[in-house]
Amino acid sequence: MKILHARATRHASRISRAQAIGALSLGTLAMGAFAIGALALGALAIGRLAIGRARIRRLEIDELIIRQRNES
């Protein structure tokens, strides 16, 4: 009886180890996906800022051109 109990305990501990390893792997994948998503959002925000600055520069240049035309 003790032998059967020992085998069952070993089998159960193997399953729990495999489940623990699987859970850690899934957790690591989820953290990696979250990090990649955060980097992508950061890059998108930086790109939008750059586009906004470029538009402002264009408006300033247009304003200078209009002023120069009006002065001459």
Side-chain angles (χ1 to χ4, degrees):
M1 191 69 177
K2 287 182 180 181
I3 294 171
L4 289 176
H5 180 68
R7 286 182 183 171
T9 305
R10 274 192 233 135
H11 183 67
S13 66
R14 284 184 193 153
I15 291 171
S16 64
R17 282 183 199 149
Q19 287 174 342
I21 291 169
L24 285 173
S25 297
L26 285 175
T28 304
L29 284 174
M31 287 171 52
F34 180 77
I36 290 170
L39 287 172
L41 286 175
L44 184 65
I46 290 170
R48 286 186 177 177
L49 281 173
I51 290 170
R53 288 180 183 163
R55 286 181 182 168
I56 290 170
R57 286 186 201 132
R58 283 185 206 151
L59 289 172
E60 290 172 346
I61 291 169
D62 289 345
E63 186 179 343
L64 287 172
I65 291 170
I66 291 169
R67 282 186 187 171
Q68 287 177 354
R69 285 183 187 167
N70 288 338
E71 289 175 359
S72 60

